[in-house]
Amino acid sequence: MLNNLTQRLSKVVKTMRGEARLTESNTAEMLREVRLALLEADVSLPAVREFIARVKEKALGEEVIGSLTPGQALVGVVHDELAKLMGADLGAEASQLSFATQPPAIILMAGLQGAGKTTTTGKLAKYLKEEKKKKVLTVSTDVYRPAAIGQLQTVTEQVGADFFPSEPSQKPVDIALAAVDWAKRHHHEVLLIDTAGRLGIDEAMMAEISALHAAVRPIETLFVVDAMLGQDAINTARAFNDALPLTGLVLTKLDGDARGGAALSVRHVTGKPIKFAGVAEKLDGLEAFDPSRMANRILGMGDILALVEEAKKGVDLAAAQDLAQKIKGGGKFDLNDFKAQLSQMKKMGGLSGLMDKLPAQLQQAAAGTSMDQAEKQVRRMEGIINAMTPQERARPELIKASRKRRIATGAGVQVQEVNRMLSQFEQMQSMMKKLKGGGLMKMMRGMKGMMPGMR
């Protein structure tokens, strides 16, 4: 969806240069492109019709002010309406979890089997523990799927939260009530209840989760939906919304090809805010959902705020300051520093994670680059540096032909790979010299050659 919509909008913006204002005739083509892109992304037809009608009503006659072209002005209208369609009109508070209850705040996780519900429960436990500083307990009431209880226990232990054990022989309501009692007695602030999923919607499933809801009276009931499901996600969301008083949605697998389509449709059908989005398989791959920022990404504007947040979490500020002082003081940027930069990039989600948040113009610079191949090359570069001696890392100029052969053998690569890595290191070293002199623009131009595969 992102690529299609971005490309279509970019194409039409170019055709609207020179117009003085937005009119019915010059918006018709652009709205047609938007409509086609949304339908291709599997957004439901009612949602598309309502969205297009709102954009058309708001756009017609709007003055083109300042340096904006009509195309840019219309993109602004589309952005605002996309954000509203995904919940911006509900206000910031609607997308936040509520803890306004006597502890523990109970959060019930609902959804079909395969939507990533159990993993999302673990991700949410990590988010609440690290971001909200809550003491979290998880419990599984899925007594049907083999290893479901063990899976939740594993991910809970990985994120450092507490787990309440259960057995397949127990009844789901009994498990949940016992977990609530345990959470109260051990002063847990949040209890996450993972419920059973099915391959499809059935009466028994709905009756069971309705009984669970009535027994524990959760402050939040989150519906976990696979963003890759398309139209099926809409039908599933409607069924759960009819059976349960949902308070919010969690979209998983937003790093897949159908990104955005389910976000628009499911929010439109249920009227409930999207509270979280799963953006990666790793346990830290859960983000609080922001409609405006998601609209930015759909329209190819990138998500610079998300990049800043990743930097705050992943970058070692002390190490970065030490490097800055070293360069400023005339010190040389060596291979130890280069390896540290590669490690920091991995902590921020790697090349693919960074590229996904950049504006479309910068992403186009990497067009044709395989991110998987680039990630492999980064790992290979780390392996080559690890095969060097401490002296070689500190003084790369020592690395001549015989040393290159030894390093290549140690890293399990060809000598050409060592030469390529050293060439990229020299580019980075040159950039650091420019940064020392304040040549920021020169450095930015130099970065084009730094990403493996970019030209």
Side-chain angles (χ1 to χ4, degrees):
M1 176 180 181
L2 289 171
N3 290 339
N4 282 344
L5 191 51
T6 302
Q7 290 169 4
R8 289 180 185 278
L9 288 174
S10 298
K11 182 180 74 173
V12 180
V13 164
K14 291 177 183 177
T15 69
M16 296 180 69
R17 288 175 180 164
E19 300 283 352
R21 59 189 289 126
L22 292 171
T23 65
E24 188 162 357
S25 60
N26 66 16
T27 59
E29 183 182 356
M30 193 168 188
L31 288 176
R32 176 179 174 275
E33 298 292 346
V34 174
R35 182 187 295 108
L36 288 173
L38 293 172
L39 291 173
E40 286 173 2
D42 232 0
V43 181
S44 66
L45 186 57
V48 172
R49 284 174 176 165
E50 181 179 320
F51 174 77
I52 294 296
R54 287 170 60 177
V55 171
K56 185 175 181 180
E57 179 183 359
K58 189 173 180 180
L60 287 182
E62 181 163 302
E63 294 293 336
V64 179
I65 58 175
S67 60
L68 290 182
T69 67
Q72 292 167 338
L74 188 54
V75 168
V77 175
V78 171
H79 173 277
D80 291 345
E81 293 304 318
L82 272 175
K84 286 180 181 177
L85 193 58
M86 289 186 287
D89 54 340
L90 298 177
E93 290 185 7
S95 63
Q96 301 293 317
L97 291 177
S98 174
F99 302 105
T101 184
Q102 183 175 343
I106 300 170
I107 301 176
L108 193 68
M109 309 293 288
L112 291 182
Q113 185 175 316
K117 183 160 42 62
T118 300
T119 303
T120 298
T121 303
K123 290 179 178 180
L124 184 55
K126 180 180 177 67
Y127 174 86
L128 294 174
K129 181 174 179 289
E130 296 182 357
E131 300 293 330
K132 301 299 182 182
K133 310 302 180 188
K134 302 290 185 182
K135 184 179 181 182
V136 183
L137 178 69
T138 71
V139 63
S140 174
T141 62
D142 188 349
V143 296
Y144 309 103
R145 184 167 64 89
I149 296 172
Q151 181 189 350
L152 181 61
Q153 181 175 6
T154 299
V155 296
T156 300
E157 290 173 351
Q158 286 175 351
V159 303
D162 296 328
F163 175 76
F164 184 79
S166 54
E167 297 290 338
S169 59
Q170 295 176 275
K171 293 181 179 180
V173 171
D174 293 340
I175 294 172
L177 291 175
V180 171
D181 181 62
W182 178 273
K184 287 178 180 177
R185 288 189 287 112
H186 291 81
H187 309 293
H188 287 92
E189 296 168 283
V190 181
L191 170 61
L192 300 177
I193 302 178
D194 183 24
T195 62
R198 303 285 197 282
L199 294 176
I201 301 165
D202 58 52
E203 290 184 15
M205 176 192 189
M206 292 304 177
E208 180 182 289
I209 199 166
S210 295
L212 263 175
H213 188 280
V216 300
R217 297 190 297 279
I219 186 78
E220 294 275 0
T221 303
L222 302 181
F223 173 60
V224 182
V225 60
D226 184 343
M228 300 290 287
L229 282 178
Q231 294 297 317
D232 286 341
I234 301 165
N235 299 329
T236 306
R238 185 179 288 112
F240 272 89
N241 194 46
D242 291 342
L244 285 173
L246 300 178
T247 59
L249 311 171
V250 181
L251 291 173
T252 63
K253 306 177 188 175
L254 275 187
D255 50 335
D257 294 336
R259 187 170 9 188
L264 301 177
S265 300
V266 174
R267 159 72 182 88
H268 181 262
V269 167
T270 63
K272 300 299 188 297
I274 303 166
K275 301 208 172 190
F276 292 96
V279 294
E281 292 184 9
K282 295 179 181 178
L283 290 174
D284 58 358
L286 187 73
E287 294 180 356
F289 188 84
D290 186 309
S292 182
R293 284 163 57 178
M294 186 63 178
N296 282 347
R297 292 167 75 170
I298 290 174
L299 294 177
M301 299 173 188
D303 191 348
I304 302 304
L305 281 177
L307 268 180
V308 173
E309 288 167 3
E310 290 290 343
K312 284 181 179 177
K313 290 190 291 184
V315 172
D316 185 336
L317 292 179
Q321 288 171 350
D322 288 344
L323 177 60
Q325 288 298 324
K326 176 181 177 180
I327 300 300
K328 190 176 180 180
K332 278 191 174 182
F333 180 81
D334 60 27
L335 284 163
N336 288 312
D337 300 320
F338 187 50
K339 183 186 174 186
Q341 298 308 303
L342 294 176
S343 177
Q344 296 280 26
M345 183 178 66
K346 284 169 66 178
K347 289 179 182 178
M348 291 175 64
L351 287 173
S352 56
L354 295 176
M355 287 298 299
D356 184 51
K357 296 178 179 67
L358 292 175
Q361 294 92 328
L362 295 180
Q363 292 187 30
Q364 288 167 9
T369 301
S370 167
M371 285 299 114
D372 288 341
Q373 195 63 34
E375 298 277 10
K376 287 180 183 177
Q377 195 166 331
V378 169
R379 291 194 293 271
R380 194 175 294 130
M381 289 161 68
E382 285 187 306
I384 292 170
I385 297 173
N386 288 336
M388 298 176 182
T389 65
Q391 186 185 35
E392 288 166 343
R393 293 181 204 173
R395 298 180 61 195
E397 65 273 12
L398 296 174
I399 304 175
K400 305 301 181 184
S402 60
R403 290 178 185 261
K404 288 178 182 178
R405 287 195 293 271
R406 193 205 78 246
I407 292 167
T409 301
V413 299
Q414 299 294 320
V415 173
Q416 292 93 321
E417 292 283 351
V418 178
N419 288 331
R420 187 179 297 117
M421 189 281 298
L422 289 172
S423 175
Q424 290 178 316
F425 161 71
E426 287 168 4
Q427 290 180 49
M428 177 69 88
Q429 195 176 48
S430 176
M431 284 162 52
M432 289 298 175
K433 289 179 182 177
K434 293 173 184 175
L435 186 61
K436 175 188 172 186
L440 184 59
M441 292 308 296
K442 291 180 181 178
M443 187 195 78
M444 293 300 290
R445 285 194 291 271
M447 284 188 70
K448 190 175 181 181
M450 276 308 303
M451 180 179 290
M454 280 185 65
R455 295 289 180 267

